[in-house]
Amino acid sequence: KTWIETNTGFVGSEVVDLATALDGTMYATTYNLGIFKSTDGGKNWVFASFGIKNWYGMQLATHPEDADTLFTTTNGGVYKSTNAGKSWELIGGSDLCDDEDAGGNCHYHGIVVEKEAPFKVLVGSGGDQYAKEGVGLTGSEDNGESWRNSDDGFVRDVHVSKLVIDPNNNNVFYATTQGETEYTDKVGDGAGVFKSTDRGNNWTQINNGLNSLETNVLAVDPNDSDVLYLGTDDDGIYKSINGGENWKKLIPTASFGVGDIIVDPQNSNNVYMGTVDYFRLSESRGVLGDFGVYKSTDGGTTWEEFNSGLNHLGVFSLELSEENRILYAGTRAGGVYWINLDG
């Protein structure tokens, strides 16, 4: 009934993304110490970053058919492992990085692996001083050997925060974006949300109703593709009931950052939201806006705190194990927590 820290063997404190492979192996990437893995449901963790030169981790993507294959984006390029994280290789060469050996101008963030053959890998620019200029979305249809632009209708030189595939329709992709940054300063504006209905080849902006175009994460209702939840970087959470044609803010007066969103596949009325402040608001507020996890049991109409036992309230990532009904939270400074939803 309360959150429990599950950090045995885990020395990474800022867990920015969590992912689970087909065989149940969990992976966690951190801002400062690379990647860790767990083969026992998150109880114990081991270091899994051999071969990665830049441990400033961004996002993880597992393969839909091969449990041993996964990809990760970092501040120094895109990496691939074919042995369940035992070792990694930098992929993409000059197609992705200006200077592959030095890792220069090679920051990528959002990443997703297509669910059907040819299992295209799609990565999005990091949109900062470490990113290659002129990049929006780049795709590979040969497991990372060669890459090409995959961003017709998209924008370039923007931070692609998340890439998402509709769990009910493999042809539909979404991308959330934020403005360019230079060190800690904003130097550009986000472009909001994009949608593709042809597996990421062509894109359309879907921003009707948004007060902020600094968007961080999108979740599709696994039982209804028309229902979307959108977490912003600075303006709380929005919902669409028509596949993104328009959006409505769910908590009108709140301005906070949303790290991740989970819609319960067993009951779509149950929605979980992790909050985290990316420092952009803390200066004007005078306080860091980490408020932990919130839960809604009515599809986002009302929310309540879901923080009992959660001692670190900045939540970058949420991951739900459907099989055992465990919800995991990757936190700022506190590693990984878990809670039994049926507890």
Side-chain angles (χ1 to χ4, degrees):
K1 294 183 178 180
T2 64
W3 290 91
I4 299 169
E5 285 190 67
T6 175
N7 292 316
T8 304
F10 207 127
V11 294
S13 61
E14 297 217 328
V15 179
V16 292
D17 197 23
L18 294 164
T20 305
L22 271 180
D23 61 357
T25 301
M26 293 188 67
Y27 298 88
T29 189
T30 70
Y31 268 157
N32 51 357
L33 290 166
I35 296 172
F36 293 79
K37 65 181 282 189
S38 171
T39 57
D40 58 4
K43 296 181 181 67
N44 297 277
W45 298 85
V46 295
F47 182 76
S49 296
F50 295 106
I52 296 179
K53 299 177 182 178
N54 189 310
W55 287 359
Y56 196 154
M58 300 298 163
Q59 297 286 301
L60 296 160
T62 58
H63 195 281
E65 288 191 356
D66 183 357
D68 290 339
T69 296
L70 61 154
F71 300 82
T72 189
T73 50
T74 73
N75 201 46
V78 182
Y79 284 81
K80 174 185 176 182
S81 173
T82 57
N83 54 15
K86 292 179 183 176
S87 62
W88 297 81
E89 61 172 339
L90 186 68
I91 60 175
S94 59
D95 290 339
L96 293 183
C97 298
D98 284 340
D99 186 347
E100 180 183 356
D101 292 333
N105 295 329
C106 206
H107 175 197
Y108 290 88
H109 197 94
I111 184 169
V112 74
V113 180
E114 194 176 47
K115 294 182 179 180
E116 299 177 4
F119 305 113
K120 180 166 68 177
V121 182
L122 197 65
V123 297
S125 172
D128 63 9
Q129 70 272 20
Y130 304 111
K132 188 174 181 178
E133 289 187 7
V135 173
L137 294 173
T138 309
S140 172
E141 295 188 356
D142 51 17
N143 280 313
E145 296 298 322
S146 61
W147 297 80
R148 62 175 178 81
N149 285 335
S150 183
D151 57 5
D152 288 345
F154 208 75
V155 289
R156 306 290 178 92
D157 298 318
V158 71
H159 176 79
V160 182
S161 42
K162 290 285 176 68
L163 290 164
V164 177
I165 301 177
D166 184 339
N168 313 300
N169 185 344
N170 294 335
N171 293 315
V172 177
F173 291 14
Y174 294 93
T176 56
T177 67
Q178 298 171 10
E180 294 177 77
T181 58
E182 187 167 333
Y183 300 100
T184 59
D185 297 327
K186 274 278 190 182
V187 295
D189 296 321
V193 189
F194 290 80
K195 181 176 183 177
S196 170
T197 57
D198 59 4
R199 297 190 175 191
N201 292 310
N202 297 277
W203 297 83
T204 303
Q205 280 182 305
I206 52 168
N207 294 334
N208 187 31
L210 295 181
N211 297 323
S212 171
L213 299 184
E214 302 294 323
T215 57
N216 190 45
V217 62
L218 184 145
V220 183
D221 186 335
N223 300 304
D224 186 348
S225 292
D226 285 335
V227 177
L228 312 175
Y229 294 89
L230 175 68
T232 69
D233 196 35
D234 56 4
D235 194 39
I237 186 169
Y238 287 76
K239 181 179 181 178
S240 172
I241 58 173
N242 51 18
E245 289 185 21
N246 52 61
W247 298 92
K248 180 180 179 181
K249 190 173 180 181
L250 292 181
I251 309 175
T253 59
S255 296
F256 54 86
V258 178
D260 211 351
I261 302 166
I262 292 285
V263 182
D264 189 343
Q266 290 191 12
N267 184 347
S268 294
N269 288 319
N270 294 333
V271 185
Y272 301 87
M273 170 177 59
T275 66
V276 68
D277 198 328
Y278 287 87
F279 296 104
R280 305 194 227 291
L281 296 177
S282 58
E283 204 170 298
S284 60
R285 265 199 312 249
V287 63
L288 196 59
D290 294 348
F291 305 113
V293 178
Y294 283 82
K295 176 183 178 181
S296 174
T297 57
D298 52 16
T301 301
T302 60
W303 298 82
E304 61 182 7
E305 287 189 15
F306 194 61
N307 292 332
S308 179
L310 187 67
N311 298 319
H312 298 83
L313 299 182
V315 178
F316 291 103
S317 181
L318 294 171
E319 180 82 358
L320 175 61
S321 171
E322 295 183 43
E323 183 178 351
N324 57 21
R325 302 289 295 161
I326 299 294
L327 181 66
Y328 297 87
T331 69
R332 186 202 305 277
V336 180
Y337 284 75
W338 65 268
I339 191 168
N340 190 333
L341 297 183
D342 295 337

